[in-house]
Amino acid sequence: MGDTFNLSGDFRDGVQYLKCTFQLPPDEQRQFEASLNQAKEKLTALPTDTIPEASPLPPGSRLLFYHNPLFVGREQNLMELAQIMVKGGVAAVGQLVAATGLGGIGKTQLTSEFCHRYGCYFAGGVFWMSFADPEEVPTEIARCGGLQGMNLIEDFDNQPLESQLQMVLTQWHSPLPRLLVFDNCEDPALIARWRPRTGGCRIIITSRRDRWDPALGIHPLALGVLSPTESCSLLAEYRPDLLDAPHLGTIAKALGHLPLALHLAGSYLNLYPHSPLGDPARYLEKLQDPALLAHPSLSGNDGHSPTEHEQHVGKTFALSWDQLDPEDTTDTIALNLLSEAAVLAPGEPIPRAMLMAISQPEQPDEAFLIDQEDALQRILSLGLVQSEADGSLVMHRLVGLYVRQQSNDWVDVCDRAETVLYNTAKEINEYGLPAPLLPWRIHLQHVAEHAETRGSKVAGKLWNELGHHLIMVADYEEARIATERALSIDETAFGSNHPNITSHVNNLGLALMNLGHLNEARKAFERALTINEAAFGPEHQEVAININNLGLVLSELGYPEKAFAAFKRAMTISETNLEPDDPGLATYINNLGTALIDLGDLEGGRSKIEQALVIDEAAFGNKHPKVAIRLSSFGGVLHAIGDLEEAWKAYDGALSIYLETLGPNHPDVATAINNLGGVMHALGDLDGARKAYEQSLNIDEAIFGKDHHVVAVRLNNLGLLLRDLGDLQEAKKIFIRNLAINEATFGPIHKKTGTAVHNLGLIFKDLGDLKGARAAFEQSLIISKQLNGSNSPVTKKIRDQLNILDTD
C-alpha cells in the first residue's frame, strides 16, 4: 500500500495534479521520515565510476524486459547515465536524460541494462512505460499502480482510469526516489505533460529525437555505434568459436557496428554453426550485396529480441521513413536531404554546408532556406541522421543503403552531388587554402569513386580536384593515384591529345615532382605544354601555366638558365592576358625573381619578389599561403645580400602563415624552419640553427621519406653546421648520406652531386683523411670541368684545394 496523503489539487491539460499533505500521527511521521532518509541515502550510494552487477529491483517495480546476458560494452554510457541521475544530489527535482539515436542503436537495451544494474538504488521502484503511442500513455502510467506495479489499493485495477492516474501521479510527486522510463518518446509535449513537477523521480527517455527544447531541462545522451572491439565481442557471444575468426571484424564493419544488425547477424550465424551458411567468409560475401537489407539474417525471422522491438533492420528504419509525407513541402525536402546524404561517404561526418548546398537551387530564396532548415530538423527528430557537436551530420551506412533503395530519382541525386562537390572543390583549390576542403575530402573521394563506377562525365574532374587538394596538403602519393585515375578516365573519354586532359597531366606532374620523380614530372609538363600549344596557340594563358610548371622542375633539376627562360616566357604571356593586379600574374613574377637570384642577380630578383608580394597581399591579405611564399622568397634575397635581421622577419612571417593555414607537419613549414635555421647559422647561433635544421629534416623525412632530394638539401645544411660545431664524424655520416641521395636523384654529373662530394671532401680533410679528401676533390673536379669548364672559378677553386693537399 502507498503512503497516506490528504489530497487537493487542480486540473491542467486534462489531468488533475494533486497537492499532497501528510496526515500521519507523530510516530508514523517519524517512521516515514526515517524510511525516506534511508531511501535518499541509498540513492546517494549509487556508484558513478563503476558498474554494479545486475540485482533484483525494489518491490512494486514494473520493468518489462529481463536482463540480457549478451549485453556488451556501453560502460561509459552507463556511467554517464548514473552521473546524471545523482547530479545535484538527492534533493534535485526531476532529473531527465534522453538516450537518443537511430533505430537499432540500442537505446532501449541500454536503458534496460541500466535499470537492472542501478534500479536497486531507487527505493521507490523502477517503472517502465511505452510512450510510442500517445493515446496509450495514460494506460501505461496507470498500470504502474496495479498488481504488476505498486499495487496501491486492493481493487486498483477496477478503478476508473482517471482515478488510477491520480493515485500514480500522487506517488510520483512524493519525495521518494523512483526511476521512470519513458520508452520511445518522440513528442516533447508528452514529456511536458506527464513528467512529475516535483518529488524524487528521475526519468530516462529513449528517443530517436536528438534535439530538445532547453526549457524541458533534458540532458541529452547521444548513443553511437559500438566500437570495433565491442562489435566483435557481441558477435562472439552468439558464436564463441568465432572469437578469433579473421572475418569477424570485417563483418562488424560491414554492418556499421549497429547493435541491432550485429544481434541479428550473430543470431543468424548461431543458427547455422555447422552449415556453410554459418561460415563467416561466406556470410561476409553476402554482406557485399547491394540488397544486403533483404538478406534473411537482417530480417529477424530467427532472432529473439531482449527488448521485444522490431527485429528487421529495414523495417526499423521504415518506422521513421514512413512518417515523411511526399505531399508535404517540408517532408519532400527532407526526403531529398536523405537521398543526398546517402550519396556521400557512408557513416562519415557530413559538413552541414555540403548537404544543404547539394539540395539547394542555384539561388534559393528565404522561404526555401527556412523550409530546408525545418526539413533538416525533421530528419534529425526521426533519427535518420545524427548531429555531431560541431554541427556536422552522420548517416549510418545501413540507413544510407535503405535510403538508396527507396529513392526514385537516384541518378538526378548523384548528378547534383557530383556537380556541387566538383564546383566547390575547384573553387577552394583555386583560392589556395586547403583547410576548408579537409572535411569534404572523404566525401569527394567517395563521390569520385561512385561517379567513375557509373560512368559519369564528371568523374575525371572530381578525381583531378581531389588530386589538386592532396598536393596542397602534401599527400603526394595519394595525389599521384588520384590524378592518374583522372587522366585515365578522361583520356578514354577525350583522347590522349585533348586539352581537357592537360589539367590532369599538369597535376600529375606536380605530384611526381614533389615525390622526387623529376624527369617524369618534366615529361608530364612538356606533354601538357605540347597539347595546349597545339590547341590554343603559343600565347594562351593555359600555355603560361604549363611553361611555369616546367620552369619549376627545371629549377629542381639544376638548370637555372632554362628555368629562367621558362619563367620569363610565362610572365610575358601572362602580362598580355592578365590584369596587373591579378594574383595569377604574381606567381610568374615571383618565380622569375627567384630565378634571377639563382643566377646571381640579387637586385633584379628582389625587385620582382617585392612586386609579387604587393600584388598578393592586396588580393589575399596577409594570412594566405601565397603571401607566405612571397615572404619566403623575399627572405631568401635579403639573406643573400646580408640583411639578416630583415630576412629573419620575412622567414618568421612566412612560418606563422604556414603554421596557421597548413598545420605543423607540412613541407612548406619545414622550408620556413630551415630558412630560419640558416639565419641563425649566419648569426652564430649554432645550437639554435641545429635545432631548426633537425626539426625541418624530421618533418621532410616523415613526408617524403629518407631518400628524397628535398631531404638531401636539409642534410647538406645540417652537415655544414655540424662541421662548424666540430662534430666531424656526425657531419661525415650526413654528407655520405647526402651524396648518395643526390647521385641517385640527379646522376653522377650534376651540380648538386658535385656540391655534395666536395663537402664530403672538406670533412675528410678536417678529419686528416687526406686520401679520402683527395678522392672526393678529384671527383668534384671532374664534375665541375664537365658542367662549368676547365677554367671556371669553381673549377679553379677545386684545383687549388687539390694542390694544397699535395703540399700537406
Side-chain angles (χ1 to χ4, degrees):
M1 296 291 291
D3 303 319
T4 303
F5 296 98
N6 180 28
L7 307 177
S8 64
D10 62 303
F11 283 89
R12 296 193 301 275
D13 299 325
V15 176
Q16 187 177 29
Y17 291 91
L18 304 176
K19 298 177 182 178
C20 314
T21 305
F22 289 102
Q23 298 291 324
L24 296 175
D27 289 344
E28 293 183 31
Q29 180 69 26
R30 284 192 293 271
Q31 184 179 358
F32 171 80
E33 290 176 356
S35 298
L36 180 60
N37 287 333
Q38 289 177 357
K40 290 180 177 180
E41 289 175 3
K42 192 171 187 64
L43 181 60
T44 302
L46 184 147
T48 58
D49 54 1
T50 59
I51 301 173
E53 295 294 326
S55 60
L57 299 179
S61 295
R62 179 176 184 261
L63 180 57
L64 303 183
F65 313 122
Y66 59 80
H67 180 245
N68 180 9
L70 302 183
F71 184 89
V72 299
R74 301 291 196 197
E75 289 89 353
Q76 187 60 40
N77 294 137
L78 287 169
M79 287 188 287
E80 285 183 69
L81 277 173
Q83 291 160 11
I84 296 171
M85 288 295 102
V86 297
K87 186 176 181 180
V90 295
V93 175
Q95 295 284 27
L96 280 82
V97 57
T100 67
L102 79 155
I105 204 71
K107 305 178 292 294
T108 297
Q109 182 60 71
L110 171 72
T111 305
S112 174
E113 187 72 11
F114 181 86
C115 292
H116 281 287
R117 291 181 179 271
Y118 293 89
C120 62
Y121 293 93
F122 296 86
V126 175
F127 303 93
W128 190 290
M129 292 146 283
S130 172
F131 272 46
D133 184 351
E135 293 184 0
E136 289 296 316
V137 170
T139 301
E140 285 284 302
I141 295 173
R143 285 173 180 159
C144 296
L147 287 174
Q148 301 302 315
M150 292 179 282
N151 195 20
L152 294 176
I153 59 175
E154 292 183 0
D155 62 342
F156 180 90
D157 291 336
N158 296 322
Q159 299 296 313
L161 179 60
E162 181 180 319
S163 298
Q164 293 176 342
L165 279 173
Q166 288 178 2
M167 285 185 278
V168 172
L169 293 173
T170 298
Q171 293 296 321
W172 283 3
H173 284 81
S174 79
L176 191 63
R178 291 183 171 90
L179 177 60
L180 313 181
V181 177
F182 296 174
D183 190 28
N184 288 327
C185 181
E186 308 299 336
D187 187 355
L190 292 176
I191 299 170
R193 181 178 182 183
W194 294 112
R195 62 180 290 188
R197 264 54 170 187
T198 186
C201 289
R202 269 67 171 169
I203 303 173
I204 300 178
I205 303 156
T206 71
S207 178
R208 302 185 187 204
R209 173 186 292 272
D210 71 344
R211 297 289 180 88
W212 301 90
D213 187 335
L216 291 172
I218 295 174
H219 301 266
L221 179 62
L223 300 189
V225 296
L226 297 180
S227 70
T229 300
E230 291 171 340
S231 296
C232 291
S233 296
L234 179 54
L235 289 173
E237 288 288 340
Y238 294 89
R239 285 283 301 275
D241 60 305
L242 299 180
L243 180 60
D244 298 319
H247 298 294
L248 211 59
T250 313
I251 290 172
K253 183 178 180 181
L255 296 172
H257 306 288
L258 184 69
L260 172 59
L262 293 165
H263 161 68
L264 294 175
S267 298
Y268 180 84
L269 293 171
N270 180 58
L271 189 64
Y272 305 105
H274 306 298
S275 165
L277 294 172
D279 176 59
R282 176 189 173 106
Y283 182 59
L284 182 60
E285 290 180 8
K286 299 299 181 183
L287 296 185
Q288 311 310 315
D289 192 324
L292 165 63
L293 295 180
H295 190 270
S297 66
L298 300 186
S299 67
N301 293 332
D302 301 303
H304 174 69
S305 169
T307 56
E308 301 177 9
H309 281 195
E310 175 64 65
Q311 292 291 280
H312 188 297
V313 174
K315 290 181 180 179
T316 296
F317 301 152
L319 293 173
S320 294
W321 177 271
D322 291 344
Q323 294 186 49
L324 295 170
D325 181 4
E327 302 299 322
D328 179 84
T329 299
T330 300
D331 282 4
T332 298
I333 298 174
L335 290 166
N336 289 337
L337 287 171
L338 289 169
S339 295
E340 287 142 7
V343 175
L344 304 172
E348 298 292 339
I350 303 169
R352 181 190 180 97
M354 172 194 290
L355 184 60
M356 302 304 250
I358 295 172
S359 68
Q360 288 173 359
E362 289 188 10
Q363 295 181 331
D365 58 22
E366 188 76 10
F368 178 85
L369 294 176
I370 292 173
D371 287 340
Q372 190 181 42
E373 288 293 335
D374 291 343
L376 179 59
Q377 294 306 314
R378 277 285 283 151
I379 61 177
L380 285 169
S381 69
L382 292 171
L384 292 168
V385 296
Q386 282 72 51
S387 179
E388 302 285 276
D390 62 357
S392 60
L393 308 162
V394 177
M395 172 179 279
H396 191 273
R397 60 186 303 111
L398 295 183
V399 175
L401 186 58
Y402 175 82
V403 172
R404 289 194 291 275
Q405 292 174 353
Q406 306 304 312
S407 178
N408 295 321
D409 58 348
W410 187 242
V411 173
D412 292 339
V413 171
C414 293
D415 287 342
R416 288 199 305 274
E418 290 165 8
T419 300
V420 168
L421 263 68
Y422 166 67
N423 289 335
T424 302
K426 189 173 189 297
E427 181 180 352
I428 293 173
N429 285 339
E430 287 178 347
Y431 188 71
L433 279 175
L437 198 57
L438 290 173
W440 294 52
R441 171 176 166 177
I442 192 167
H443 300 288
L444 181 61
Q445 179 169 338
H446 178 80
V447 171
E449 290 172 344
H450 186 255
E452 182 178 357
T453 300
R454 74 188 195 95
S456 169
K457 294 180 180 179
V458 190
K461 294 180 178 180
L462 287 165
W463 279 116
N464 187 57
E465 292 303 329
L466 177 61
H468 188 171
H469 169 73
L470 292 168
I471 290 169
M472 287 198 290
V473 297
D475 193 346
Y476 299 120
E477 182 57 33
E478 289 300 315
R480 180 190 65 77
I481 294 171
T483 51
E484 283 179 343
R485 289 182 77 164
L487 182 58
S488 174
I489 292 167
D490 282 350
E491 273 186 324
T492 301
F494 301 107
S496 58
N497 294 304
H498 195 283
N500 282 3
I501 71 167
T502 54
S503 64
H504 310 346
V505 176
N506 176 73
N507 284 338
L508 177 58
L510 291 172
L512 291 168
M513 182 174 70
N514 283 289
L515 286 168
H517 307 315
L518 300 181
N519 288 314
E520 293 179 48
R522 178 177 181 175
K523 291 177 183 177
F525 294 140
E526 288 173 341
R527 179 186 175 190
L529 175 60
T530 300
I531 294 172
N532 278 336
E533 281 184 323
F536 305 119
E539 305 301 321
H540 195 274
Q541 193 55 39
E542 289 293 323
V543 171
I545 294 172
N546 304 139
I547 296 171
N548 176 75
N549 290 335
L550 181 58
L552 292 174
V553 75
L554 289 170
S555 179
E556 290 291 311
L557 283 165
Y559 303 128
E561 294 85 0
K562 292 181 179 179
F564 172 77
F567 292 140
K568 185 174 182 180
R569 183 185 169 195
M571 191 181 79
T572 301
I573 295 171
S574 299
E575 284 179 326
T576 302
N577 296 325
L578 303 177
E579 296 296 325
D581 60 350
D582 192 306
L585 182 62
T587 298
Y588 308 116
I589 296 173
N590 178 84
N591 290 347
L592 182 61
T594 58
L596 287 169
I597 294 171
D598 289 341
L599 292 171
D601 184 358
L602 300 184
E603 287 304 319
R606 177 174 183 168
S607 175
K608 294 296 182 186
I609 291 167
E610 286 179 328
Q611 182 184 355
L613 178 59
V614 169
I615 294 172
D616 277 344
E617 283 185 329
F620 301 110
N622 57 6
K623 295 295 183 182
H624 193 282
K626 287 184 182 289
V627 173
I629 293 172
R630 311 300 172 245
L631 286 172
S632 185
S633 299
F634 189 47
V637 70
L638 292 170
H639 192 172
I641 65 178
D643 191 348
L644 298 180
E645 184 176 343
E646 291 301 313
W648 174 278
K649 291 179 182 178
Y651 288 148
D652 190 54
L655 176 60
S656 296
I657 296 172
Y658 285 141
L659 286 171
E660 184 175 336
T661 58
L662 303 177
N665 299 311
H666 193 279
D668 289 345
V669 170
T671 298
I673 294 171
N674 175 79
N675 291 341
L676 285 170
V679 174
M680 286 186 275
H681 194 170
L683 289 169
D685 181 6
L686 302 189
D687 289 335
R690 179 171 187 170
K691 290 178 182 178
Y693 287 151
E694 289 176 342
Q695 184 180 355
S696 65
L697 175 63
N698 290 335
I699 294 172
D700 280 339
E701 283 183 331
I703 295 169
F704 299 114
K706 294 184 177 297
D707 300 317
H708 194 278
H709 70 278
V710 170
V711 171
V713 174
R714 310 291 179 246
L715 289 170
N716 181 72
N717 292 341
L718 180 58
L720 293 173
L721 176 71
L722 291 169
R723 184 189 181 211
D724 290 345
L725 284 167
D727 192 349
L728 299 181
Q729 289 295 342
E730 192 63 28
K732 176 183 173 181
K733 295 177 184 177
I734 292 291
F735 281 126
I736 289 173
R737 185 179 162 201
N738 176 46
L739 175 59
I741 295 172
N742 283 325
E743 282 185 326
T745 303
F746 302 107
I749 307 300
H750 191 277
K751 178 181 177 181
K752 292 187 178 181
T753 303
T755 300
V757 73
H758 180 266
N759 287 339
L760 183 58
L762 293 174
I763 295 298
F764 282 138
K765 181 176 180 296
D766 293 341
L767 286 168
D769 183 357
L770 301 185
K771 182 178 179 180
R774 182 183 304 281
F777 288 151
E778 286 176 348
Q779 183 181 352
S780 176
L781 182 63
I782 293 170
I783 296 170
S784 183
K785 284 180 179 179
Q786 294 195 40
L787 295 178
N788 306 312
S790 297
N791 298 317
S792 73
V794 175
T795 303
K796 184 178 181 303
K797 180 180 178 180
I798 299 171
R799 191 180 289 116
D800 291 341
Q801 288 172 321
L802 275 168
N803 291 334
I804 292 172
L805 285 178
D806 290 336
T807 61
D808 287 347

